[in-house]
Amino acid sequence: MLKANPDYLDLPGNYLFAEIERRVEKYCAEHPGRQLVRLGIGDVTRPLSPTLVSALHEAATAQGDPATFSGYGPYGGYNSLRSKIAEVQYHNRNVPMQPDEIHVGDGAKCDVGNILDIFSKNTVAAVCDPVYPVYVDTNVMAGRAGHIGEDGRWSDLIYFPCTEENGFLPVLPAPDAPVPDLIYLCFPNNPTGSMISGAELKKWVDYANAHGSIILYDAAYEAYITEDYPHSIYEIEGARTCAIEFCSFSKMAGFTGLRLGWTVFPHELVLDGVSLGKLWGRRQATKFNGASSMSQKAGEAVFSENGQREMRETIAYYQQNAKVILEVLTGLGIQASGGVNAPYIWLKTPENTSSWSFFDRLLEEANVVSTPGSGFGPCGEGYIRLTAFGSHENTQLAMDRIKKMF
Ligand code: PLP
C-alpha cells in the first residue's frame, strides 16, 4: 500500500517562520492599521545594485537574440563564473582554488540540504545548538536523526551547545565522546552572529582529519566579516582534505530572489577512493539542470570593479543598522552580541523571559517582529534574533519603539 515518507511525518508541525507568520497574521487581524517593523526573517531589503541590473538587462537581451541565445548550461556553472569566484573569493585571499572545485548552484540552502545524498544512510551528523534549522530538518527528512525527545533534540544527532559561557562557539567532542561523521559549522553564525578565529577553526580541521569526519562549512555570511577572521575554511591548513564549503550570493549581493550560490569540493576530498566532487557532479547532473544563466551573468557582474564597490556599499548599509541595534540594546542594559561580523544580533531576553513570550511582547508593545531563539534549538531558549536587513528608517523606528518599552 502506498504510504507517505515516514521520515517527513517525523518533522515537527510548524517550520519556525510559519509559526512566526501565524502569530503576526493573528496580531494584524486583531489590530488593523498597526505598522509592523520586521526584523525577523533573514531576507535582504535593498534592491539589486545598478551594475547587476545592467548585467541582467544584457543577459535578457542576449536570450532574445538567436545569435546569442543559450539553453542548458554546464551543470556546475559557466567556467567564466567559476573562474571569477576562484580569483576573487579565494586567490585574492591567498587560498589556492581550481575553478572546477567550485560547483555553482541555485543557492546554499539547496546544496546544504542535498549534500546528504552523497553520504551513506547511517551517517551521523553533529550540529550546533542553536542552529540554522535546515541542517537538522534535512537530516530528519533523510531518516538520519532518530526520534525527537522532550528536550527538542533528536536522538541520533550530536549537539554542540553554543552558550553565553562558551562565547556561542562549539566545543570539540571529548576524546571518549562519539565521533560525528558530518560536522555542520556556520560562520559567521546564523543565528548568534558569533565568529570563529583561525586558531579555533584549525582545531576542528585537525579533529576532522584525525577522525575521518567531514566538516560542512556554511560561509553564507562571509561578506559581513569586518574583523580579522577567516572568510573561508580553506584559509586553514588541512581543510582541503576534510571540508566542503557552502557559499551564497544571497546576502552577499542581494540574490535571495535571483538565486545563486556555490559549493566547494577540493580535489583532495576523497571517500572510499571516490572524489566527493565527482560524486556531487553526478548527483547534480541527475537531479539539477544548472543555475539560471541570467543569475550567473549577474553573478559575474558582482565580481567586476563596480559590482564589488556596490556590494560593499550595500553591506555597509546593513552593518550600520546592526550598529544602531547593538548601541540601543546595550544602552538599555540588554545583553546582545553578534552584529559586528554578521547581520544578526542575538539578544538575551530581559528577566529570563522565554523566547516566545518576549517575541509576543516585542510584537504587541513595539510592533516589532523578531525571531525567537528557541526556534533554533533548546540552547536558543531565552534569546531573540534580530536582523540588520531592514531599512535605516525602519530599524531606527523599531529601536525607538523598543526604547519606549523599558
Ligand atoms: N545558510 C545559512 C546559514 C542561511 O542563513 C541561509 C539563508 O538564510 C542559507 C544558507 C541559504 O542561503 P541561500 O539563499 O543561498 O539558499
Side-chain angles (χ1 to χ4, degrees):
M1 191 177 56
L2 181 63
K3 288 197 165 165
N5 184 339
D7 298 326
Y8 277 59
L9 302 181
D10 278 352
L11 284 168
N14 262 320
Y15 183 60
L16 171 63
F17 293 106
E19 174 60 16
I20 292 174
E21 223 26 64
R22 192 191 66 75
R23 291 188 188 215
V24 169
E25 273 171 23
K26 183 168 176 281
Y27 179 81
C28 289
E30 288 165 5
H31 304 85
R34 294 280 167 89
Q35 191 202 347
L36 298 189
V37 179
R38 289 175 181 270
L39 299 184
I41 199 160
D43 197 357
V44 295
T45 54
R46 304 296 297 158
L48 289 178
S49 74
T51 300
L52 306 191
V53 174
S54 332
L56 282 170
H57 279 300
E58 253 178 59
T61 305
Q63 288 291 347
D65 180 341
T68 48
F69 168 78
S70 64
Y72 292 128
Y75 300 117
Y78 287 102
N79 260 329
S80 47
L81 175 61
R82 298 167 91 169
S83 303
K84 272 283 162 207
I85 295 172
E87 178 194 326
V88 177
Q89 292 289 124
Y90 298 99
H91 300 170
N92 289 354
R93 296 187 175 121
N94 294 321
V95 176
M97 189 64 69
Q98 302 293 322
D100 69 348
E101 294 176 311
I102 293 166
H103 299 244
V104 171
D106 57 359
K109 191 188 216 173
C110 323
D111 286 9
V112 153
N114 293 331
I115 196 71
L116 291 175
D117 282 5
I118 65 167
F119 296 106
S120 76
K121 293 205 167 56
N122 53 1
T123 301
V124 175
V127 295
C128 292
D129 174 12
V131 67
Y132 177 50
V134 172
Y135 312 150
V136 173
D137 287 0
T138 51
N139 272 277
V140 177
M141 290 172 170
R144 300 180 197 184
H147 302 286
I148 193 163
E150 283 191 359
D151 59 356
R153 288 186 169 180
W154 293 85
S155 55
D156 292 354
L157 295 183
I158 294 172
Y159 289 88
F160 304 132
C162 296
T163 59
E164 194 183 338
E165 288 70 38
N166 57 31
F168 305 109
L169 285 183
V171 175
L172 279 178
D176 56 347
V179 173
D181 299 312
L182 299 176
I183 300 171
Y184 289 86
L185 293 181
C186 171
F187 291 105
N189 188 260
N190 177 13
T192 67
S194 66
M195 196 48 217
I196 194 165
S197 69
E200 278 302 310
L201 192 51
K202 174 88 171 89
K203 291 183 194 166
W204 286 94
V205 166
D206 290 346
Y207 175 90
N209 277 323
H211 293 85
S213 312
I214 286 186
I215 298 175
L216 302 176
Y217 195 75
D218 187 340
Y221 298 97
E222 135 318 288
Y224 289 78
I225 297 174
T226 58
E227 297 176 316
D228 187 19
Y229 286 110
H231 286 249
S232 159
I233 194 167
Y234 304 114
E235 290 175 40
I236 310 299
E237 198 191 331
R240 289 182 60 87
T241 49
C242 69
I244 295 170
E245 180 165 278
F246 302 88
C247 294
S248 171
F249 284 79
S250 284
K251 311 299 161 66
M252 173 172 103
F255 279 53
T256 52
L258 263 187
R259 311 303 304 143
L260 197 65
W262 72 92
T263 299
V264 179
F265 293 84
H267 290 151
E268 291 88 329
L269 212 51
V270 173
L271 214 55
D272 299 326
V274 182
S275 146
L276 285 185
K278 282 218 172 104
L279 219 52
W280 178 252
R282 183 71 182 82
R283 186 234 173 249
Q284 293 293 79
T286 304
K287 294 191 175 180
F288 181 62
N289 252 341
S292 138
S293 57
M294 307 261 298
S295 283
Q296 293 191 61
K297 286 289 168 212
E300 272 184 54
V302 169
F303 296 115
S304 66
E305 205 180 316
N306 284 340
Q308 288 283 289
R309 185 180 37 77
E310 292 163 10
M311 179 192 94
R312 293 258 57 102
E313 283 166 8
T314 305
I315 290 174
Y317 180 97
Y318 294 133
Q319 282 165 333
Q320 177 59 26
N321 288 341
K323 200 163 166 243
V324 168
I325 296 173
L326 272 178
E327 274 170 10
V328 169
L329 294 176
T330 314
L332 289 171
I334 295 176
Q335 196 179 309
S337 57
V340 176
N341 296 294
Y344 296 120
I345 292 98
W346 190 237
L347 76 87
K348 195 168 180 177
T349 60
E351 292 147 21
N352 290 326
T353 349
S354 76
S355 297
W356 277 112
S357 304
F358 196 63
F359 168 91
D360 287 336
R361 218 184 129 197
L362 281 177
L363 181 62
E364 284 157 24
E365 294 178 32
N367 292 170
V368 169
V369 182
S370 61
T371 311
S374 55
F376 298 100
C379 287
E381 181 53 272
Y383 288 86
I384 284 281
R385 190 194 73 174
L386 295 179
T387 87
F389 288 128
S391 65
H392 284 337
E393 297 72 24
N394 276 348
T395 304
Q396 193 58 57
L397 179 62
M399 290 304 115
D400 290 343
R401 289 181 184 167
I402 289 176
K403 271 194 217 161
K404 285 197 193 124
M405 279 172 63
F406 292 94

